[in-house]
Amino acid sequence: MATSQEASRVTRSTKGKAPLSQKGSDILGNVVNIVQTPTPQSPLTPQRISRVEESSLCNTLQKLKLLSLTPKKTTKDTKNKKRPPPSNQQQESGTNIQEAQAVAEASNPAPAANSRLKFTQFFPTRRSDRKSKADLLKEQTDIMEAALTTQDDTKLGIEVVTMDNKGRGIMAVNDFFKGEFVVEYAGDLVDVKTAEDLEAKYSMDTSKGCYMYYFKYKGKQYCVDATSESGRFGRLLNHSRIHPNCRTKVVMMDDTPRLILVAKQDIFAGTELLFDYGDRSKESLRAHPWLSL
């Protein structure tokens, strides 16, 4: 009884696992041999697939990575390359430059190393004949100041003419540009009180007329009395309210305001010079209906 129990008894190890019997060991060995040495007839299962190393293919890929697709430049190739010969045009330009340098060196005693050739030595520089606005303004100012100083209107490019139904008038002999000085409205500069007294005196003699021009400059009222015959042309310009080609302008000269006439537009030779008298009073319009024209 005791012997049969000992034969069927299964002992366990200290870790609690049962040892394999001889039959179990043989079955496990057969399975391990099958995994390690598969037969060529049986297809590979997912548990038996192993990584295949292809040494020849890896070496080839590594070699391709090391290779460079762009050829390297060597110093021998650059040294061996020859420049193309210069063309005839380049040779001629180089000869001309050398000749110019030789001429410059001959005319200049300084050493050629320190001398620099300028472009203008061989090619003339074209300069514009057009005058700037500043030059034109200065030129017009000089002409105006000369005319105001000499008080001679015969050299201004204008003349006195007699016209039908108008009497005397001023005609342009030369062309005038817009804004250009034409003539001075010359006369005696008086204050407003004196001008009013003179105007009342002139009204007593209708044959004499009245050539008084009132204007305001820097907040002060002035009047130019050009009634007296002085030989100046500015007082003889006729009136036009609709088609004036001149306008008045105040300029300072020697701290004194001077009344001048400038071209309101481009004026051609043979044109009558006209400006607006500016009198809009009802009495003046009744006495002189032409003031509305």
Side-chain angles (χ1 to χ4, degrees), residues 120-272:
T120 54
Q121 293 180 358
F122 314 109
F123 302 96
T125 303
R126 180 186 176 187
R127 300 184 182 276
S128 176
D129 296 334
R130 297 179 61 184
K131 297 180 180 180
S132 62
K133 292 183 179 180
D135 294 338
L136 292 174
L137 181 61
K138 184 177 183 304
E139 184 178 349
Q140 293 177 6
T141 304
D142 294 340
I143 294 173
M144 179 190 67
E145 291 180 353
L148 296 177
T149 303
T150 58
Q151 298 183 356
D152 185 8
D153 297 338
T154 59
K155 299 179 181 179
L156 297 178
I158 57 178
E159 64 179 357
V160 181
V161 295
T162 303
M163 302 180 182
D164 298 337
N165 302 325
K166 284 187 177 183
R168 291 180 299 177
I170 301 299
M171 191 76 69
V173 178
N174 299 334
D175 296 338
F176 292 93
F177 296 102
K178 181 180 179 180
E180 187 176 356
F181 170 79
V182 178
V183 68
E184 179 188 7
Y185 192 91
D188 298 328
L189 185 65
V190 297
D191 56 20
V192 177
K193 182 63 173 66
T194 304
E196 291 176 353
D197 295 341
L198 291 173
E199 189 175 0
K201 178 182 177 180
Y202 296 151
S203 61
M204 303 300 292
D205 187 1
T206 56
S207 62
K208 190 173 184 179
C210 182
Y211 296 79
M212 307 188 75
Y213 194 98
Y214 293 86
F215 66 96
K216 193 175 184 178
Y217 182 69
K218 290 187 177 180
K220 188 176 180 179
Q221 196 76 26
Y222 296 93
C223 179
V224 174
D225 182 12
T227 304
S228 301
E229 292 285 348
S230 59
R232 305 299 297 273
F233 292 174
R235 61 189 293 272
L236 300 179
L237 267 73
N238 288 318
H239 163 79
S240 177
R241 180 181 177 181
I242 302 175
H243 301 293
N245 52 19
C246 295
R247 63 180 180 87
T248 56
K249 183 179 180 181
V250 181
V251 295
M252 293 296 293
M253 187 173 183
D254 298 333
D255 298 331
T256 302
R258 306 285 287 268
L259 191 64
I260 65 173
L261 289 161
V262 297
K264 188 177 180 180
Q265 61 195 32
D266 293 342
I267 303 173
F268 299 101
T271 306
E272 182 185 6

